[in-house]
């Protein structure tokens, strides 16, 4: 996906503040944080949104979800964290490479 922003971050073509990476996923700081901690968790493989997730992504999806508590703890979020996945224009998705927002800290925003 040559014109995908997050694929470019994965390829190192655009810099990002990387927090964790492995063979399946990358975690980096959101450029416009909405909370004290605001990370983006993305699969290495290009999946446009949750709408495009299929059975072949089971391993990746499970892996990403299971990393979230560990990532939150590493960020010092001892009392919990929020995970958001915006899907499609109606869901507020702006970047069409599947990503989970990992949010936490004192200034955690509400849902309004
Ligand atoms: P969405 O609305 O698609 O769920 O969220 C996209 C997120 O990507 C937004 O929170 C936005 O701040 C973040 N973002 C957009 N462009 C960049 C970028 O170039 N670098 C980083 N680190 N985050 C970005
Ligand atoms: Zn992509």
């Amino acid at each position: 996906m040559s014109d995908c922003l997050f694929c470019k971050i994965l390829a190192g073509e655009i810099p990002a503040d990387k927090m964790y990476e492995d063979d399946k996923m990358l975690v980096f700081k959101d450029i416009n944080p909405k909370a004290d901690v605001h990370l983006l968790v993305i699969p290495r493989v290009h999946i446009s949104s949750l709408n495009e997730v299929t059975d072949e992504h089971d391993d990746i999806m499970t892996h990403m979800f299971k990393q979230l508590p560990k990532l939150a703890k590493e960020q010092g979020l001892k009392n919990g964290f929020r995970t958001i996945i915006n899907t499609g224009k109606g869901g507020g998705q702006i970047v069409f490479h599947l990503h989970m927002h990992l949010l936490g800290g004192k200034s955690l925003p509400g849902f309004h």
Side-chain angles (χ1 to χ4, degrees):
M1 289 292 155
S2 57
D3 60 350
C4 171
L5 177 65
F6 288 174
C7 280
K8 286 180 179 163
I9 286 177
L10 283 161
E13 292 167 16
I14 293 175
D17 206 343
K18 297 179 183 176
M19 306 303 291
Y20 172 81
E21 61 184 314
D22 60 30
D23 60 329
K24 293 188 175 63
M25 60 185 265
L26 173 67
V27 182
F28 54 98
K29 288 187 181 176
D30 196 293
I31 205 167
N32 182 22
K34 306 281 196 308
D36 292 341
V37 174
H38 188 171
L39 303 183
L40 298 173
V41 179
I42 69 171
R44 285 198 180 277
V45 62
H46 180 88
I47 308 169
S48 299
S49 80
L50 268 188
N51 286 326
E52 284 72 36
V53 170
T54 65
D55 291 349
E56 71 180 275
H57 303 124
D58 282 357
D59 285 353
I60 295 167
M61 297 303 290
T62 304
H63 181 71
M64 288 198 300
F65 274 111
K66 289 177 78 173
Q67 295 302 312
L68 293 170
K70 191 192 75 173
L71 291 163
K73 284 197 187 81
E74 285 171 2
Q75 293 296 311
L77 302 174
K78 295 187 173 62
N79 295 321
F81 60 93
R82 180 173 298 159
T83 311
I84 296 175
I85 305 176
N86 297 322
T87 302
K89 284 200 173 75
Q93 186 175 6
I94 292 167
V95 178
F96 280 78
H97 181 125
L98 176 65
H99 52 280
M100 302 176 179
H101 296 258
L102 171 54
L103 298 148
K106 287 191 292 293
S107 56
L108 198 62
F111 278 109
H112 36 82

